Amino acid sequence: MPIRFEKPNFINLEQDKVFMRLALEAAQSAYLLDEVPIGAVLVFEEKVVSVGYNRTRLDIDPTAHAEIIVIKDGAKEMGNYRLAGTTLYTTVEPCPMCAGAMIWARVARLVYGTKDLRAGAVDSVFQLCNSPKLNHQISVTNQVLEEECRAVMQKFFRARR
């Protein structure tokens, strides 16, 4: 029987940092595999449901972004394609595909590290997560461990220049 989930009723920055550090560890795993180092963690009731990182090259799949990985794995783990009450942590501001997937999955809250000024679909380029035109809005907390998240990306791209 699918589980019914409620929205979280508090925000705790120290707890956000703990989960973001897990996302950073996942990003490091991606880095070591020569993937764009983005990591994500899905949390429900202060418990980790799924952890993932970018796997586009490894899986030969342009949709294998960290956020998509944790949404898919999280839905299976929770036995429900609706992830109401969950918080998704990601090291980089989600792209339009990932923001759209979070909306469809009904993720309650998004916490991200650094902005993506080229493709960010939460604050930077588009504002999908809080668009009143859509049937679900996501609470957003940004710039959690921003420097650490940005540093991983910069290190990765500097090595390729």
Side-chain angles (χ1 to χ4, degrees):
M1 175 178 210
I3 302 169
R4 189 173 186 309
F5 304 104
E6 301 296 327
K7 284 189 172 188
N9 58 6
F10 67 94
I11 295 172
N12 179 326
L13 182 58
E14 288 309 309
Q15 183 175 331
D16 285 347
K17 288 179 180 179
V18 168
F19 292 122
M20 187 60 76
R21 284 187 185 95
L22 289 175
L24 277 163
E25 288 177 23
Q28 185 61 30
S29 295
Y31 182 90
L32 294 172
L33 293 168
D34 201 34
E35 293 278 356
V36 175
I38 298 174
V41 176
L42 186 69
V43 173
F44 178 69
E45 293 183 345
E46 302 176 39
K47 294 182 181 84
V48 173
V49 176
S50 59
V51 178
Y53 51 83
N54 272 13
R55 298 173 48 121
T56 55
R57 294 175 184 174
L58 186 66
D59 292 356
I60 312 170
D61 179 356
T63 69
H65 290 195
E67 299 90 339
I68 300 297
I69 301 291
V70 298
I71 288 169
K72 285 180 174 184
D73 291 350
K76 288 177 186 171
E77 180 68 27
M78 295 174 77
N80 194 333
Y81 72 101
R82 299 288 175 137
L83 301 175
T86 60
T87 299
L88 195 151
Y89 293 82
T90 185
T91 55
V92 177
E93 178 182 3
C95 72
M97 175 182 69
C98 294
M102 286 185 277
I103 292 164
W104 286 112
R106 304 299 194 268
V107 169
R109 184 168 174 250
L110 166 67
V111 179
Y112 73 86
T114 190
K115 292 187 177 200
D116 182 345
L117 300 177
R118 293 178 46 204
V122 178
D123 293 312
S124 299
V125 180
F126 303 104
Q127 294 78 41
L128 292 179
C129 291
N130 61 9
S131 172
K133 294 181 179 182
L134 300 173
N135 64 345
H136 178 72
Q137 288 77 42
I138 298 171
S139 172
V140 176
T141 301
N142 60 20
Q143 298 174 296
V144 173
L145 300 181
E146 179 182 22
E147 293 301 319
E148 294 94 323
C149 294
R150 183 183 310 117
V152 173
M153 293 292 283
Q154 287 175 337
K155 180 181 173 186
F156 178 80
F157 286 108
R158 270 193 204 117
R160 275 143 192 79
R161 291 187 184 139

